[in-house]
Amino acid sequence: MKKFVQLLTALVVGLSSVPALAAGASPKLLTPENSAVILIDHQPQMYFGVESHDRHDVMNSVAALAETAKAFNVPTVLTSITAAGFAGPLDPSITKTFPDTPIIDRTIMNAWEDPNLVKAVEKTGRKKLVMAGLWTEVCLTLPVLSALDEGYEVYIVVDASGGSSKEAHDAAVQRMVQAGAQPVTWMQVLYEYQRDWARRDTYEAVTKIAQEHGGAHGLGIFYAKSMFGAQEGQKK
């Protein structure tokens, strides 16, 4: 318990003397400057069919991932499928976070076969793509495999994606990983972007996202702030 409290206190206090991009950091690590986020088909009709996870958990993860991209000013591409005719509008947690970002609507299941999406991705100038979508086995797997074939590094956010069954989701993730994709979670992306608690510009946003979407971890941050008066790192 003592070590747990010490960890939480250090997190909230934000003490660090290590540069955000320290020498020797792996080039495989995600940064806000080397990656783009692509959110695929997080729409009501697609959520209705998710059986691999609790739908509320997926929605929470999607909201957290969108807020993470916004907090770090990471280029974000949004796409939907047959929004007007079948699947419905994009998850409002996404459009609330990105009210001015155009949504690329399409009819084709493989978003990478839509030239508008490919152009939007190319416009970001990033070669590392953080991708999440519904369903995992179709609307995420197809563009992930396509992007990998075109030389992109792809990071699949497994908890911000969901499949029509646990087997479908797990098999799709395994297939993408075997093809070269790297599985991550939204919290992993959040902290990989932050990397250093001395990065004050994003400290407040990061702890807010973790507190609102991080479950017991978020409650721990609230506890440390409440019990130890840890306010360092916050803008005055």
Side-chain angles (χ1 to χ4, degrees), residues 137-181:
E137 66 268 31
V138 183
C139 294
L140 180 61
T141 297
L142 302 185
V144 165
L145 296 179
S146 300
L148 287 168
D149 279 351
E150 293 197 13
Y152 287 89
E153 296 177 52
V154 181
Y155 300 73
I156 51 174
V157 189
V158 294
D159 55 352
S161 305
S164 59
S165 68
K166 184 179 185 302
E167 291 80 5
H169 174 83
D170 291 347
V173 169
Q174 185 177 7
R175 182 183 181 190
M176 289 184 282
V177 168
Q178 288 177 342

Side-chain angles (χ1 to χ4, degrees), residues 5-15 191 197 203 206-207 210 217 220-221 224-225 230 232:
V5 171
Q6 289 174 338
L7 176 63
L8 288 172
T9 304
L11 184 153
V12 177
V13 170
L15 296 177
Y191 287 147
W197 292 116
Y203 178 86
V206 167
T207 54
H217 171 62
I221 295 173
K225 288 183 177 182
E232 289 86 349

Side-chain angles (χ1 to χ4, degrees), residues 88-157:
L90 212 57
D91 185 335
S93 70
I94 298 174
T95 52
K96 178 182 69 175
T97 304
F98 294 102
D100 301 319
T101 300
I103 300 168
I104 302 169
D105 193 52
R106 21 170 261 287
T107 60
I108 192 165
M109 294 183 192
N110 181 6
W112 204 263
E113 294 181 48
D114 187 324
N116 293 317
L117 182 130
V118 174
K119 288 177 183 177
V121 173
E122 291 174 345
K123 188 177 179 179
T124 70
R126 310 295 172 85
K127 295 299 290 185
K128 296 181 187 293
L129 305 181
V130 178
M131 299 174 67
L134 304 179
W135 295 334
T136 316
E137 66 268 31
V138 183
C139 294
L140 180 61
T141 297
L142 302 185
V144 165
L145 296 179
S146 300
L148 287 168
D149 279 351
E150 293 197 13
Y152 287 89
E153 296 177 52
V154 181
Y155 300 73
I156 51 174
V157 189

Side-chain angles (χ1 to χ4, degrees), residues 64-103:
L65 180 60
E67 291 172 22
T68 296
K70 182 72 170 182
F72 287 93
N73 198 29
V74 176
T76 302
V77 178
L78 309 179
T79 183
S80 61
I81 188 165
T82 60
F86 173 70
L90 212 57
D91 185 335
S93 70
I94 298 174
T95 52
K96 178 182 69 175
T97 304
F98 294 102
D100 301 319
T101 300
I103 300 168

